[in-house]
Amino acid sequence: MPKITEEVFYIPGQDEFMPDAHAYVLGKPSSKNLSLIDAGLTGKGNYKIQSIQKAGIELSAIKRIIMTHTHLDHIGCLAEIQKQIPWAELWMHQLEADLLEQGDERTVYGMDMFRGFCEEQFGLKPGAFKFKVNQKLKGGETLDLGDTAWEVIHIPGHSMGSIGLYHRPMKILIPGDVVYADHAIGRFDLYGADGPELKKSLMRLAELEVDILLPGHNQIVKDLPKGYILKTAKQWEPHLG
Ligand SMILES: [Zn+2]
Ligand SMILES: [Zn+2]
């Protein structure tokens, strides 16, 4: 598992016939207060856990799992991971937390057709994604994650409760699926998505100074050109309503 900085480890998604989200482990290893950002696709729990162990990180140091959002490619293997680190808390934005606690899985699958496909493919039953959430985030918080400070930014549009995590001193942004490398952005046609909201969220992120972009899929970028997010937002603006 590649180390991005002293306080950020990267676990690449293991895409097969469906995408598996990247996961990140945040926090100074010496703090023993680490956070796993996102889980991944159904069936990828062992891969993610083994990647953490291979990096020499004690599972007991993982204190929480923070979700950038709750699409299946991010939350699919959450229950598998929770089985191996049952002490870890679950944190996510309130809007998606409230849905999951009520057993509302519309955000997880995004669309009915996909739900049918996944239930068949993975043998998932209704209720598979009912979780108790320990901390509901709103955006605007600054989290102390293992002796590093990360700002929570609510960036809806790809999903209603998407959050970004921003480490201001090192200019690191974890935007979930809101913006990727190669001027790509997250899709905005799924349940809870909204083009104009996504435009606002991109403009919000464009105000940040970002050197390292760690998205949910595809390449990570360690030397992001200045103005990259603004340029991406402008390119997509005509499609976002
Ligand atoms: Zn997504
Ligand atoms: Zn994704």
Side-chain angles (χ1 to χ4, degrees), residues 68-211:
T68 63
H69 65 300
T70 59
H71 284 153
L72 186 79
D73 54 323
H74 298 250
I75 202 173
C77 66
L78 176 61
E80 301 161 32
I81 290 176
Q82 281 183 327
K83 258 188 211 145
Q84 303 207 46
I85 52 170
W87 55 83
E89 291 198 347
L90 179 58
W91 295 12
M92 68 178 71
H93 193 274
Q94 178 174 24
L95 287 173
E96 291 181 30
D98 287 346
L99 292 179
L100 291 184
E101 287 189 337
Q102 291 158 19
D104 183 333
E105 298 172 334
R106 281 178 293 179
T107 299
V108 174
Y109 294 108
M111 57 172 79
D112 282 342
M113 211 172 71
F114 187 58
R115 178 187 191 120
F117 169 79
C118 291
E119 286 184 346
E120 205 176 289
Q121 186 69 38
F122 297 114
L124 293 164
K125 304 245 160 27
F129 295 101
K130 194 164 183 184
F131 288 99
K132 184 183 173 336
V133 177
N134 302 94
Q135 185 155 332
K136 299 183 184 182
L137 303 166
K138 292 198 161 87
E141 301 90 343
T142 299
L143 307 177
D144 172 14
L145 304 179
D147 297 337
T148 61
W150 291 81
E151 296 170 35
V152 180
I153 308 165
H154 183 211
I155 39 173
H158 172 66
S159 74
M160 66 182 88
S162 283
I163 57 165
L165 293 170
Y166 181 54
H167 189 263
R168 196 170 287 272
M170 305 226 16
K171 302 177 184 166
I172 304 171
L173 178 65
I174 299 177
D177 282 356
V178 171
V179 61
Y180 306 112
D182 301 322
H183 298 287
I185 62 170
R187 52 192 288 185
F188 45 95
D189 58 336
L190 301 169
Y191 173 77
D194 185 285
E197 285 288 330
L198 183 54
K199 181 163 80 181
K200 273 193 248 167
S201 294
L202 288 165
M203 293 312 282
R204 178 114 193 257
L205 295 180
E207 291 169 10
L208 307 174
E209 283 185 45
V210 179
D211 285 344

Side-chain angles (χ1 to χ4, degrees), residues 11 20-25 35-52 59 62 64-67 73-90 131:
I11 311 174
D20 170 35
H22 299 326
Y24 300 95
V25 179
S35 301
L36 177 66
I37 311 305
D38 284 344
L41 184 66
T42 311
K44 297 298 179 187
N46 274 334
Y47 160 66
K48 298 287 165 65
I49 289 283
Q50 282 165 11
S51 300
I52 292 169
L59 292 183
I62 310 273
R64 67 195 67 78
I65 302 163
I66 305 176
M67 302 299 302
D73 54 323
H74 298 250
I75 202 173
C77 66
L78 176 61
E80 301 161 32
I81 290 176
Q82 281 183 327
K83 258 188 211 145
Q84 303 207 46
I85 52 170
W87 55 83
E89 291 198 347
L90 179 58
F131 288 99

